[in-house]
Amino acid sequence: MEASELCHTSLRSLATLIQRQEVSPVEATQVVVDRVEKFDVQLNSYITLLGDQAMAQARAAEQEILDGHYRGPLHGIPIAVKDLFYTKGIRTTAGSKILSDFLPAYNATVITRLRDAGAILVGKLNMHEFARGATNASSLVGACNNPWDTLRIPGGSSGGAAAALAAGLCYGALGSDTGGSIRIPAALCGIVGLKPTYGRVSRHGVFPLSWSLDHVGPMTRTVTDAALMLQAIAGHDRQDPTTRTAVVPDYTAALTGDIEGARLGIPQEFYFEHLDAEIGDSVRAAIQTLERAGAHVEEVSLPFSKYAAAAGRIISLTESAEIHEKFLQTRFADYSPDVRAGFVAGQLILGKHYMKAQRVRSLMRQEMAAALKRVDALVTPTVPIPAPRLGQTTVNIGQESVDIMSTLSRLTRPANLTGFPAISVPCGFTQGGLPIGLQLIGRPFAEATILQLAYAYEQETTWHQRQPMF
């Protein structure tokens, strides 16, 4: 298989080729390393490329497989992770000057689990500084660019992961999601991004932004690939007391494509308001595709969703200010101005406001849970706008000018506040060639359900097969 074809194959397809010994882990890893060295100057998706270490891991994986010790579908697969996952002896910057030389003494639990599954770590990916932003414009190594148009943002804060995947610079990635930081870049770069249920995946060894809102999840080019990565990282971790002991199902077993009789809820309010026209049209067309595949659609009401931005901002800023208290005292000037401003604002929030935000959050969780008793999943757009230009601060939706930062997370934030699982899958492109994302939100610990629905949609369309010119 030619390198130009191999780099864009799915993780699942590559795993099959490796298992059959038709492609070696060494060959696949060399393709990724070569492409990063050749193309990432245009994208800036990597903070640290681990070329030599990755090749050594690939040679070890190849020998294991030749010796008959195949570990499973991630064995020999080159992956990369957002640069806030602790990697023992490998710098972990969180996209910041403050941690530019930080060498963790241990691996994050999810890194250990991926390595146990045989995955090869190719590098650490660009991100918005300390995960505090949706554009990926503020970073230790500079802005990351969208591979569909390098003058536009990839979204954030896991922007490097989305850009690298779309451009064929890795086969799978890990991101974190506090207000949409997996799903926003997934939508803007035309890939799959899954935020699991709060407590499904360990956050031990992941530099936090907001303890009660942070989630860890996979970013991939297909739904099957997301299921495979989630399988490897999900489950209880004694080192993370927020993880649940809920049974982890076989996620790929659920991917049959049969959604006959599935019930989908379309929110009456909030989610379909203030949308770019092309995004609204693409998402409605996607809903019709799901209906033709056998799903039943009905309206649901989620009026408390409109308070998600205010409640989420208060909670995340308060918690992040506490996390960064020491650095704000000792390294104040080393923050990017936009990131520092948010943490300083968090120091000014009163306890009573934080508690009110938590009460609103409880009402949102109750409301969404009630809706999901009637339906299997909620269907919404992921992001209200296509990828904005680098440096752009406002965008027009209809006759209204809106702030880009708050708009990007407007439709993703409710799933962080409730902790319910949500996935973004490609569902179209604008006339200008920019990707559009479809979001599915499910019941707690029902990742298998939203994966099945997303897979069924993916099988009916070809959006996920499109590739940027890299």
Side-chain angles (χ1 to χ4, degrees):
M1 183 181 291
E2 295 291 331
S4 58
E5 182 182 357
L6 184 62
C7 69
H8 283 293
T9 194
S10 69
L11 186 158
R12 170 73 272 183
S13 296
L14 178 60
T16 300
L17 293 171
I18 288 175
Q19 184 180 17
R20 293 175 180 170
Q21 299 181 20
E22 295 176 21
V23 171
S24 76
V26 172
E27 180 183 357
T29 303
Q30 190 67 64
V31 165
V32 170
V33 171
D34 288 348
R35 283 183 65 81
V36 175
E37 292 177 343
K38 181 177 181 180
F39 294 117
D40 204 45
V41 66
Q42 300 173 60
L43 297 178
N44 203 29
S45 65
Y46 276 76
I47 290 178
T48 302
L49 176 63
L50 303 168
D52 291 343
Q53 292 183 43
M55 293 307 299
Q57 290 176 45
R59 287 189 288 271
E62 181 179 57
Q63 191 60 53
E64 280 188 334
I65 294 167
L66 289 172
D67 290 343
H69 303 302
Y70 182 67
R71 302 190 200 183
L74 294 187
H75 200 176
I77 302 293
I79 60 121
V81 299
K82 186 176 182 177
D83 200 24
L84 49 56
F85 292 94
Y86 285 19
T87 42
K88 184 178 179 179
I90 300 169
R91 73 168 185 160
T92 299
T93 71
S96 71
K97 182 178 180 180
I98 291 171
L99 297 181
S100 60
D101 297 318
F102 174 49
L103 299 177
Y106 61 92
N107 285 322
T109 295
V110 288
I111 298 297
T112 298
R113 289 179 176 178
L114 286 172
R115 286 188 162 170
D116 287 346
I120 296 167
L121 181 62
V122 175
K124 310 292 290 292
L125 296 163
N126 201 349
M127 57 177 286
H128 205 108
E129 182 179 318
F130 286 119
R132 175 76 184 91
T135 65
N136 215 136
S138 296
S139 170
L140 171 68
V141 297
C144 180
N145 303 324
N146 192 313
W148 295 94
D149 180 347
T150 55
L151 297 179
R152 295 179 183 271
I153 68 167
S157 59
S158 309
L165 281 161
L169 307 187
C170 62
Y171 291 93
L174 281 187
S176 66
D177 192 312
T178 305
S181 289
I182 286 174
R183 290 159 291 151
I184 294 167
L188 299 190
C189 291
I191 64 156
V192 175
L194 173 62
K195 182 199 77 66
T197 311
Y198 187 85
R200 175 61 92 185
V201 177
S202 173
R203 299 172 301 165
H204 173 69
V206 183
F207 197 95
L209 175 62
S210 173
W211 294 296
S212 70
L213 295 171
D214 291 348
H215 299 67
V216 167
M219 301 173 73
T220 57
R221 289 198 283 265
T222 71
V223 174
T224 300
D225 294 354
L228 289 171
M229 287 196 70
L230 179 62
Q231 197 75 55
I233 62 175
H236 178 64
D237 176 18
R238 287 181 297 176
Q239 297 181 96
D240 180 355
T242 68
T243 54
R244 306 292 182 85
T245 56
V247 173
V248 177
D250 183 342
Y251 292 116
T252 56
L255 305 183
T256 64
D258 181 9
I259 59 169
E260 187 68 40
R263 298 166 300 161
L264 304 179
I266 313 301
Q268 292 176 325
E269 55 276 288
F270 181 70
Y271 286 95
F272 287 84
E273 300 169 359
H274 308 297
L275 285 183
D276 174 270
E278 289 184 280
I279 289 178
D281 290 344
S282 291
V283 171
R284 292 183 187 96
I287 293 169
Q288 292 174 353
T289 298
L290 287 165
E291 286 187 281
R292 288 194 296 272
H296 301 301
V297 171
E298 63 181 85
E299 287 191 338
V300 296
S301 182
L302 298 167
F304 276 104
S305 294
K306 65 183 178 183
Y307 301 114
R313 184 173 174 80
I314 289 170
I315 292 168
S316 65
L317 289 181
T318 303
E319 293 179 358
S320 62
E322 172 66 19
I323 291 164
H324 285 266
E325 182 178 15
K326 180 179 178 180
F327 287 152
L328 287 169
Q329 293 173 352
T330 61
R331 304 286 300 272
F332 188 83
D334 289 334
Y335 287 95
S336 296
D338 65 317
V339 174
R340 181 174 58 228
F343 295 152
V344 171
Q347 294 179 315
L348 304 177
I349 295 171
L350 300 178
K352 65 179 181 180
H353 297 144
Y354 179 79
M355 293 308 299
K356 285 181 180 179
Q358 291 287 11
R359 285 197 289 270
V360 170
R361 179 185 195 173
S362 295
L363 292 171
M364 288 181 60
R365 187 181 293 117
Q366 293 167 20
E367 179 179 83
M368 191 171 283
L372 285 163
K373 286 183 179 179
R374 293 171 44 198
V375 297
D376 298 305
L378 307 174
V379 185
T380 79
T382 307
V383 180
I385 56 174
R389 290 186 177 276
L390 291 163
Q392 189 176 350
T393 57
T394 62
V395 64
N396 291 329
I397 300 179
Q399 302 300 313
E400 184 181 3
S401 178
V402 297
D403 171 69
I404 282 174
M405 286 289 286
S406 58
T407 298
L408 286 172
S409 62
R410 184 165 67 86
L411 306 181
T412 53
R413 194 178 291 278
N416 292 91
L417 285 159
T418 61
F420 292 4
I423 191 170
S424 178
V425 294
C427 74
F429 285 79
T430 67
Q431 289 185 353
L434 299 175
I436 298 171
L438 175 75
Q439 179 175 228
L440 295 158
I441 304 171
R443 299 168 187 149
F445 300 98
E447 289 85 4
T449 299
I450 59 173
L451 283 164
Q452 165 71 318
L453 290 164
Y455 177 79
Y457 175 74
E458 188 179 75
Q459 298 308 295
E460 296 290 328
T461 62
T462 59
W463 304 118
H464 64 288
Q465 297 174 7
R466 292 202 187 183
Q467 302 162 8
M469 298 299 292
F470 277 90

